[in-house]
């Protein structure tokens, strides 16, 4: 029989009051784990889909597409496979489109999805994106619901979607199941039911293809709290999710009731390539190489874009000459991302297009040993246009780290003076943009730029090591704490509340410390921060919304968690010496504590106490959520 575990092992001279334990607490991941009467099955389905991942979504309004009259050969081959692939000697139902970064995979599939939609061939689409502001475009768990929703919206396949809704009515927790079970219940079973119905061919006139792009940009779904290393569960790698997605797609195509072909695009990453190699003849590969003559398409793209610039700026017809266009095509090395980046740079401020073009030409790499050398040289050239390149690069690293935060917050968090964001980033519009979609978000035009920043051999003098990046973010974080807000003025109360909500959540994003030794280096600065002011401000803003709840408490808890997580279980560090009564007295009458674990532990002597949160009373390795402690001021 296993021995019992005590949360207060070896503790002495204390008593426990006001202890409530609810053993039925659920931490469901889904937005609709057990459907409430107010939510219909359709609403549950929408809550668990990625609307921005659909090919014609508003989020993808500026997504790359093939320039007119380019990539014709490869598009025709793909469309022929979709329309007539069943007539092949050995028909295959999965087409893998792959190639190096920047070869135009997303643009090709975007154009294919649009063409198939116009031709009535598109059943569903899903465009993964690791740079998207929508986190659901980076996760596997939204894939099957998004496909099911599109089948429901298509007039030809609506019966499949309707049966999926019937299943959701009976089992709304389906979204918490593995992809295999989701596919089975939401797509395959409805298809089998439809196929068994007597009469004519149920698939007559149906669309033919499901398009999935950017599989390599799907990030790993984590099921365990990374702050609890003692759980024994290793952090999942994204390759695990890539393999699960591919396995589910194969499962679908092997079912006789599944009538669709599947087009998947990704970089040729090792795990993905290994999967298709093991799959063998069950799939077909289309590699974007010289066979499709990318140089001709890139030449056409450059010629067309330069003609637009000449008309706009009334430049001579011979600008630029054929030799310069040939140099640009050679530098592109088949990478459409290079061509697109060049033209965005030439069209962007701060200089006229002739000067911008000269900058591009001067940046041309000379060794030619790396396929990324021209692109890397271009990125370095663009970064040099900033008035302060080192600080601009620090900002770019921080923006990538804060990609889920809105652009206004990022500016307020990073700026030292008003207008600093425009000063540092204004000349970098060819690599960074602000997307407006239910808010504004910084977005890099292509993942290859983030890859460039992360690789010391490519970014060379612009590379900043992880510790220096973290130190930069720490300084900004502590500056806000000590300044009681951002350095730049906030316009009104609503903006102040928005900033506070996003700021309190940064404690979970690794802005401070990954170890007790790192924490010791900044502890003195933390002691100078007015934690009482932050609590008071938080409660004031909560009251102004008239919606204080336990989830509000979790946000302020996050603000303190990264401080006290490094304390010993038996004594607290001096950082944030706030009276526990400050938190308890202000929250006790506002929050319904039902369903939470919330003991108050105080010394029997009744001596003064200091505030601390999230200690593990049984382990010095990490925090235990939901516990408030009162401890002696004499703790070091």
């Amino acid at each position: 029989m296993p021995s019992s575990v005590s949360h207060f092992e070896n503790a002495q001279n204390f008593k426990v009051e006001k202890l409530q334990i609810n053993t039925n607490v659920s931490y469901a991941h889904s937005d609709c784990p057990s459907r409430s009467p107010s939510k219909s099955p359709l609403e549950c389905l929408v809550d668990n889909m990625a609307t921005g991942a659909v090919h014609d979504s508003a989020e993808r309004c500026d997504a790359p597409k093939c320039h007119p009259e380019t990539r014709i050969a490869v598009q025709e081959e793909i469309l022929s496979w979709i329309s007539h692939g069943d007539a092949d000697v050995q028909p295959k139902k999965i087409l893998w489109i792959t190639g190096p970064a920047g070869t135009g995979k997303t643009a090709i599939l975007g154009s294919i999805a649009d063409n198939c939609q116009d031709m009535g061939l598109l059943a569903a689409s899903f465009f993964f994106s690791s740079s998207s502001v929508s986190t659901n475009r980076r996760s596997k768990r939204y894939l099957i619901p998004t496909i099911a929703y599109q089948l429901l919206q298509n007039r030809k396949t609506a019966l499949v979607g309707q049966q999926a809704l019937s299943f959701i009515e009976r089992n709304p927790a389906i979204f918490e199941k593995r992809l295999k079970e989701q596919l089975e219940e939401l797509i395959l079973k409805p298809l089998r039911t439809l196929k068994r119905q007597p009469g004519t061919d149920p698939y007559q006139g149906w669309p033919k293809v499901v398009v999935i792009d950017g599989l390599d940009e799907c990030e790993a779904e984590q099921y365990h709290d990374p702050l609890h290393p003692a759980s024994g569960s290793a952090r999942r790698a994204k390759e695990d999710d890539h393999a699960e997605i591919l396995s589910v797609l194969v499962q679908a195509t092997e079912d006789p009731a599944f009538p669709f072909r599947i087009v998947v695009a990704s970089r040729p990453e090792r795990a993905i390539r290994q999967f298709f190699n093991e799959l063998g003849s069950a799939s077909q590969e289309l590699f974007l190489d010289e066979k499709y003559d990318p140089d001709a398409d890139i030449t056409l793209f450059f010629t067309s874009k330069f003609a637009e610039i000449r008309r706009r700026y009334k430049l001579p017809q011979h600008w630029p000459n054929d030799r310069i266009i040939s140099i640009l095509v050679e530098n592109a090395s088949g990478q459409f991302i290079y061509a697109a980046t060049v033209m965005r740079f030439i069209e962007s401020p701060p200089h006229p297009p002739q000067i911008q073009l000269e900058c591009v030409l001067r940046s041309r790499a000379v060794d030619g040993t790396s396929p990324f050398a021209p692109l890397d040289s271009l990125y370095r050239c663009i970064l040099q246009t900033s008035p302060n390149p080192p600080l601009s690069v620090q900002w770019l690293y921080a923006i990538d780290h804060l990609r889920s935060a809105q652009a206004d917050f990022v500016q307020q968090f990073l700026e030292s003076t008003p207008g600093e964001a425009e000063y540092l980033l204004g000349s970098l519009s060819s690599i960074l943009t602000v997307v407006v979609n239910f808010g504004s978000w910084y977005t890099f035009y292509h993942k290859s730029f983030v890859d460039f920043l992360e690789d010391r051999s490519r970014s060379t003098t612009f590379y900043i090591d992880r510790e220096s990046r973290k130190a930069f973010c720490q300084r900004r974080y502590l500056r806000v704490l000590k300044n009681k807000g951002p350095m730049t003025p906030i316009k009104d109360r609503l903006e102040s509340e928005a900033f506070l909500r996003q700021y309190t959540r940064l404690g979970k994003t690794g802005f401070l410390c990954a170890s007790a030794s790192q924490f010791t280096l900044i502890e003195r600065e933390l002691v100078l921060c007015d934690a009482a002011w932050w609590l008071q401000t938080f409660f004031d803003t909560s009251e102004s919304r008239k919606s204080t709840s336990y989830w509000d408490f979790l946000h302020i808890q996050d603000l303190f968690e990264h401080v006290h997580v490094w304390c010993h279980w038996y004594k607290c560090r001096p950082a944030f010496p706030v009276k526990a009564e400050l938190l308890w007295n202000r929250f006790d009458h506002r929050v319904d504590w039902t369903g939470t674990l919330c003991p108050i532990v105080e010394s029997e002597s009744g001596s003064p106490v200091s505030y601390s949160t999230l200690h593990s009373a049984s382990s010095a390795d990490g925090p235990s959520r939901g516990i408030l402690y009162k401890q002696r001021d004499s703790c070091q």
Side-chain angles (χ1 to χ4, degrees):
M1 179 177 177
S3 60
S4 61
V5 177
S6 171
H7 288 288
F8 306 104
E9 186 176 356
N10 297 325
Q12 298 179 10
N13 300 322
F14 70 87
K15 60 181 179 180
V16 178
E17 296 178 353
K18 301 181 183 179
L19 176 63
Q20 292 183 349
I21 299 178
N22 184 347
T23 59
N24 295 316
V25 176
S26 173
Y27 299 96
H29 192 66
S30 170
D31 290 320
C32 196
S34 54
R35 187 174 66 83
S36 64
S38 62
K39 281 203 171 183
S40 68
L42 178 58
E43 289 173 321
C44 283
L45 181 61
V46 172
D47 285 344
N48 288 276
M49 67 171 288
T51 55
V54 180
H55 77 102
D56 58 355
S57 68
E59 185 175 326
R60 298 195 71 255
C61 64
D62 294 324
K65 301 287 175 62
C66 293
H67 196 73
E69 304 305 318
T70 65
R71 314 315 304 263
I72 292 177
V74 66
Q75 287 190 72
E76 286 182 347
E77 182 171 340
I78 296 169
L79 288 171
S80 175
W81 179 85
I82 292 170
S83 301
H84 310 295
D86 287 332
D88 292 347
V89 177
Q90 292 182 320
K92 300 176 177 62
K93 298 192 73 172
I94 297 180
L95 174 63
W96 179 37
I97 299 175
T98 187
T103 50
K105 297 180 291 295
T106 295
I108 291 170
L109 259 69
S111 296
I112 289 293
D114 285 347
N115 290 335
C116 286
Q117 177 85 355
D118 294 341
M119 299 165 65
L121 299 176
L122 185 67
S125 62
F126 196 104
F127 284 72
F128 286 103
S129 174
S130 61
S131 61
S132 170
V133 298
S134 303
T135 56
N136 51 22
R137 287 187 65 190
R138 307 197 289 265
S139 172
K140 68 179 182 181
R141 65 182 301 270
Y142 299 92
L143 174 62
I144 301 302
T146 303
I147 293 175
Y149 176 83
Q150 291 173 83
L151 294 178
L152 174 67
Q153 296 303 307
N154 190 304
R155 182 173 58 86
K156 296 287 188 179
T157 59
L159 288 177
V160 177
Q162 290 171 9
Q163 292 199 36
L165 293 181
S166 298
F167 180 83
I168 296 171
E169 176 78 32
R170 300 190 303 272
N171 184 10
I174 182 61
F175 305 109
E176 292 303 309
K177 299 292 186 180
R178 294 175 298 178
L179 293 187
K180 180 179 179 180
E181 280 69 32
Q182 291 185 34
L183 175 73
E184 180 69 19
E185 300 296 346
L186 299 181
I187 296 177
L188 293 183
K189 280 187 177 180
L191 284 170
R192 294 187 201 118
T193 300
L194 191 63
K195 187 176 183 180
R196 286 196 296 266
Q197 293 179 358
T200 58
D201 181 5
Y203 302 143
Q204 187 173 4
W206 273 33
K208 290 180 175 290
V209 68
V210 174
V211 173
I212 299 173
D213 178 64
L215 175 62
D216 54 287
E217 299 192 40
C218 176
E219 298 178 356
E221 192 86 358
Q222 302 298 334
Y223 301 108
H224 302 280
D225 190 345
L227 290 175
H228 285 278
S231 64
S233 298
R235 185 174 182 85
R236 300 182 76 254
K238 67 176 184 177
E239 289 80 7
D240 299 329
D241 284 356
H242 298 169
E244 183 181 2
I245 292 171
L246 290 171
S247 297
V248 164
L249 297 181
V250 171
Q251 174 192 350
T253 58
E254 289 179 345
D255 194 299
F258 189 81
F260 310 115
R261 312 177 82 77
I262 298 176
V263 177
V264 182
S266 76
R267 295 183 188 181
E269 295 191 350
R270 181 168 54 184
I272 298 175
R273 175 165 290 285
Q274 181 179 351
F275 184 94
F276 279 107
N277 287 342
E278 294 175 354
L279 192 60
S281 60
S283 65
Q284 182 171 324
E285 178 182 331
L286 190 157
F287 194 89
L288 298 175
D289 55 16
E290 297 300 324
K291 178 178 69 174
Y292 297 100
D293 197 8
D295 286 356
D297 288 332
I298 292 174
T299 300
L300 181 59
F301 172 78
F302 276 132
T303 302
S304 175
K305 296 297 288 185
F306 277 124
E308 293 177 12
I309 294 174
R310 286 197 299 271
R311 287 191 292 270
R312 188 185 318 155
Y313 290 92
K314 296 181 172 53
L315 299 176
Q317 285 298 314
H318 65 271
W319 180 87
N321 59 45
D322 292 342
R323 184 181 66 84
I324 289 178
I325 291 180
S326 297
I327 291 173
L328 295 176
V329 172
E330 180 182 350
N331 288 349
S333 302
Q335 291 180 296
F336 280 81
I337 181 59
Y338 176 89
T341 304
V342 163
M343 296 314 302
R344 276 198 300 266
F345 178 71
I346 292 174
E347 292 176 299
S348 301
H351 304 296
Q354 304 98 312
I355 297 177
Q356 297 287 79
L357 176 58
E358 285 299 318
C359 178
V360 170
L361 295 174
R362 288 196 305 269
S363 73
R364 186 166 67 95
V366 294
D367 57 4
T369 55
S370 168
F372 294 104
L375 182 60
D376 296 345
S377 184
L378 173 63
Y379 282 148
R380 289 192 290 271
C381 171
I382 294 172
L383 292 175
Q384 286 286 9
T385 65
S386 168
N388 188 338
L391 185 55
S392 295
V393 172
Q394 284 281 23
W395 270 59
L396 293 171
Y397 278 115
I399 286 171
D400 183 50
H401 190 75
L402 287 166
R403 62 179 180 264
S404 296
Q406 293 205 28
D408 289 343
F409 170 79
V410 174
Q411 291 181 18
Q412 292 165 344
F413 179 74
L414 295 178
E415 280 187 335
S416 298
T417 57
E420 187 179 19
E422 178 60 28
Y423 172 75
L424 293 173
L425 306 177
S427 61
L428 306 182
S429 58
S430 58
I431 56 178
L432 182 73
T433 187
V434 175
V435 173
V436 178
N437 182 25
F438 298 102
S440 58
W441 316 83
Y442 279 117
T443 303
F444 294 105
Y445 274 107
H446 200 276
K447 187 176 181 294
S448 64
F449 179 73
V450 179
D451 295 341
F452 161 83
L453 286 180
E454 292 286 348
D455 190 333
R456 184 192 297 268
S457 66
R458 295 178 61 189
S459 51
T460 60
T461 57
F462 292 104
Y463 179 79
I464 299 175
D465 62 81
R466 292 184 181 276
E467 288 303 314
S468 298
R469 294 179 228 167
K470 191 163 191 176
F472 175 80
C473 291
Q474 284 178 350
R475 290 193 296 271
R476 292 299 190 269
Y477 190 94
L478 291 169
R479 186 177 67 179
V480 172
L481 274 181
K482 289 188 287 187
N483 190 58
K484 300 179 181 177
M487 300 298 289
T488 54
I490 290 182
K491 292 181 294 188
D492 52 36
R493 178 179 58 82
L494 291 178
E495 188 176 283
S496 176
E497 291 181 8
F499 179 86
L500 177 64
R501 283 196 301 273
Q502 295 189 75
Y503 179 76
T504 56
R505 296 167 187 168
L506 291 183
K508 287 188 175 299
T509 60
F511 266 82
L512 285 184
C513 304
S515 68
S517 60
Q518 291 180 5
F519 177 78
T520 302
L521 298 176
I522 64 168
E523 187 174 9
R524 180 171 298 179
E525 293 187 77
L526 287 172
V527 172
L528 300 176
C529 301
D530 191 346
W533 181 91
W534 278 96
L535 284 171
Q536 181 66 58
T537 302
F538 175 78
F539 294 130
D540 289 347
T541 55
S542 295
E543 287 179 343
S544 70
R545 297 199 316 271
K546 299 179 181 178
S547 61
T548 307
S549 68
Y550 176 64
W551 302 109
D552 287 322
F553 168 70
L554 288 183
H555 294 158
I556 200 67
Q557 179 172 280
D558 291 344
L559 184 62
F560 290 90
E561 176 178 5
H562 52 260
V563 175
H564 295 281
V565 71
W566 304 116
C567 298
H568 296 290
W569 71 265
Y570 57 90
K571 56 184 177 181
C572 181
R573 291 178 178 273
F576 284 100
V578 181
K579 297 294 186 181
E581 286 84 359
L582 176 67
L583 181 62
W584 184 256
N585 293 340
R586 293 175 188 269
F587 234 113
D588 189 31
H589 66 283
R590 293 174 173 84
V591 182
D592 178 9
W593 293 98
T594 304
T596 66
L597 175 63
C598 189
I600 293 296
V601 183
E602 61 182 307
S603 67
E604 293 183 350
S605 65
S607 58
V609 293
S610 62
Y611 173 69
S612 174
T613 66
L614 300 172
H615 284 293
S616 172
S618 60
S619 171
D621 293 331
S624 177
R625 291 186 179 275
I627 303 178
L628 300 176
Y629 288 88
K630 291 181 178 180
Q631 297 181 317
R632 295 177 183 273
D633 273 341
S634 57
C635 293
Q636 91 178 24

